[in-house]
Amino acid sequence: MHELTAAEFYIVNPMLEKVGNKAVYALSVIQQLQTGKVLVNDRNNATAALITSVGGFYCLLGAANDAPFNEGVIEFLNNKNSHPIDFYALALFSTDWEQLLAENNLINAAKIKRAYFHFNKEKFLQAYRDYPFVLNPEFNEEGLNPEIADQYREDFYSYYKLVWDSAQQFIDNGVGHFVTKDDKIISVCSSPYVGGGYAEIDIITVEKYKRKGLATLVGVRFINECLNRGLTPNWCCHSDNIESLSVAHKLCFEQVDEHPMYWYNA
C-alpha cells in the first residue's frame, strides 16, 4: 500500500464520488478539515483505496482485485498498532470488498449493518416551518460557543477531542446546538464530521431527559443552521438502532441504502 501525501489526496476523488455522503468522514479527510490517512494501491493509477479518519471511521473504495493491496489491507486492519484509539468502524460499499473480508478473519471485528439516508429538504421545511417549540423554563438553548465547546469536549463527550483538534476548530468548522440545565449539557446535536458540503448529525440526550422533545429541538436547530450555511445535514446509523431510525424519520431523513460495516474494539 502507498500512503498519499495531502497534496495527492485528489487522486481518490473519482472513487470517493461514487460513495458521496455515505462517508462524510472521508470527505473531511480529503478536504483536510480533519485528520486521517489515504492509502492506495498505485499512485499513478489508483483503483483501490483505504481512507481512515482520526475518529476511527474507515472505508474501502474502488475494486478489490489488487492482491498485494488486499493483503496490505488485511494486515493493516489486523495490526493493533494501526488503530491508535483501539477502535475502528470499517464501511464497505461494494460486494467485492464484502466478499474479500468475509474470506479473511478480522481480529476482534464484528460485522454489522449500517443504514444510510437522504435528507428531504422540502418535507423538512414544510414540517418545521411553524413548529411550536416550547422549552421548559428550567432548560436553556445554546449554540456553539467557546465555553460550551470546551464543556462538551472535556466533560460530556471526549470523542470530540479526537475528531476536532481543538474547541476552536470545532467552532470554526462544525455545527452544534445544545440544551442545558443548571449549566450542564442534557441534549445536543453536533457534527463529528464535516466535509464535501455535508455535516454529519450526532444526537445525544441524557437518559432522564429523553421523551421531552429535546432531540427534535436540537436536531431542527442543527438542520436550520446547516441550510443557512449551505451545508446538507447527513444521517447514518446502525440498522438495528430503533431510536436513531425513529429520530431520523422525524427529522425528514429517508433511508436509501444499507451496507455492511466491521466494528472493531481491541
Side-chain angles (χ1 to χ4, degrees), residues 11-262:
I11 290 171
V12 302
N13 283 339
M15 289 181 277
L16 192 52
E17 285 174 1
K18 297 178 181 179
V19 173
N21 68 313
K22 295 177 184 176
V24 175
Y25 50 89
L27 294 168
S28 181
V29 169
I30 297 303
Q31 286 186 256
Q32 299 172 56
L33 291 174
Q34 289 161 294
T35 307
K37 293 182 178 182
V38 181
L39 306 164
V40 298
N41 62 323
D42 187 333
R43 274 190 167 86
N44 298 316
N45 182 31
T47 58
L50 170 64
I51 301 178
T52 75
S53 72
V54 71
F57 277 81
Y58 304 171
C59 64
L60 279 164
L61 306 173
N65 57 11
D66 185 315
F69 180 77
N70 296 349
E71 292 171 6
V73 166
I74 300 303
E75 182 179 347
F76 178 91
L77 294 173
N78 281 336
N79 183 351
K80 188 176 185 297
N81 295 326
S82 300
H83 320 295
I85 61 172
D86 294 332
F87 160 80
Y88 71 72
L90 173 68
L92 308 176
F93 303 109
S94 64
T95 54
D96 56 346
W97 283 119
E98 185 176 357
Q99 181 177 347
L100 175 76
L101 294 186
E103 295 169 354
N104 290 272
N105 179 38
L106 293 185
I107 300 170
N108 295 332
K111 187 179 180 183
I112 62 171
K113 290 285 188 179
R114 190 81 166 165
Y116 298 89
F117 295 79
H118 164 76
F119 175 60
N120 189 325
K121 179 180 176 181
E122 291 72 23
K123 184 177 179 181
F124 174 84
L125 292 175
Q126 183 176 14
Y128 292 101
R129 181 177 292 110
D130 301 309
Y131 194 81
F133 287 111
V134 179
L135 197 62
N136 189 307
E138 65 180 328
F139 302 146
N140 294 296
E141 282 190 67
E142 293 193 48
L144 195 53
N145 60 67
E147 183 178 352
I148 203 162
D150 278 333
Q151 182 187 153
Y152 188 46
R153 298 171 75 250
E154 297 294 337
D155 303 327
F156 192 89
Y157 195 13
S158 61
Y159 184 70
Y160 276 64
K161 295 173 70 174
L162 292 173
V163 294
W164 296 110
D165 292 339
S166 66
Q168 192 59 52
Q169 189 200 23
F170 180 27
I171 292 168
D172 290 343
N173 298 285
V175 184
H177 285 269
F178 306 79
V179 173
T180 61
K181 181 179 184 297
D182 300 328
D183 297 323
K184 300 293 184 183
I185 296 168
I186 60 171
S187 186
V188 54
C189 183
S190 57
S191 53
Y193 295 99
V194 175
Y198 297 96
E200 197 72 45
I201 285 183
D202 191 9
I203 296 181
I204 304 172
T205 300
V206 174
E207 184 64 36
K208 67 181 289 187
Y209 296 107
K210 289 183 177 180
R211 292 166 290 279
K212 297 181 183 295
L214 300 182
T216 302
L217 186 150
V218 293
V220 170
R221 298 290 193 242
F222 180 104
I223 291 169
N224 279 330
E225 180 178 342
C226 285
L227 297 180
N228 290 335
R229 290 171 53 179
L231 293 169
T232 300
N234 199 65
W235 196 290
C236 59
C237 64
H238 291 359
S239 297
D240 61 355
N241 188 335
I242 303 303
E243 187 175 34
S244 186
L245 294 170
S246 175
V247 177
H249 177 75
K250 192 170 186 177
L251 292 174
C252 304
F253 289 88
E254 299 166 349
Q255 186 172 341
V256 294
D257 223 333
E258 184 181 68
H259 292 287
M261 172 176 275
Y262 281 88

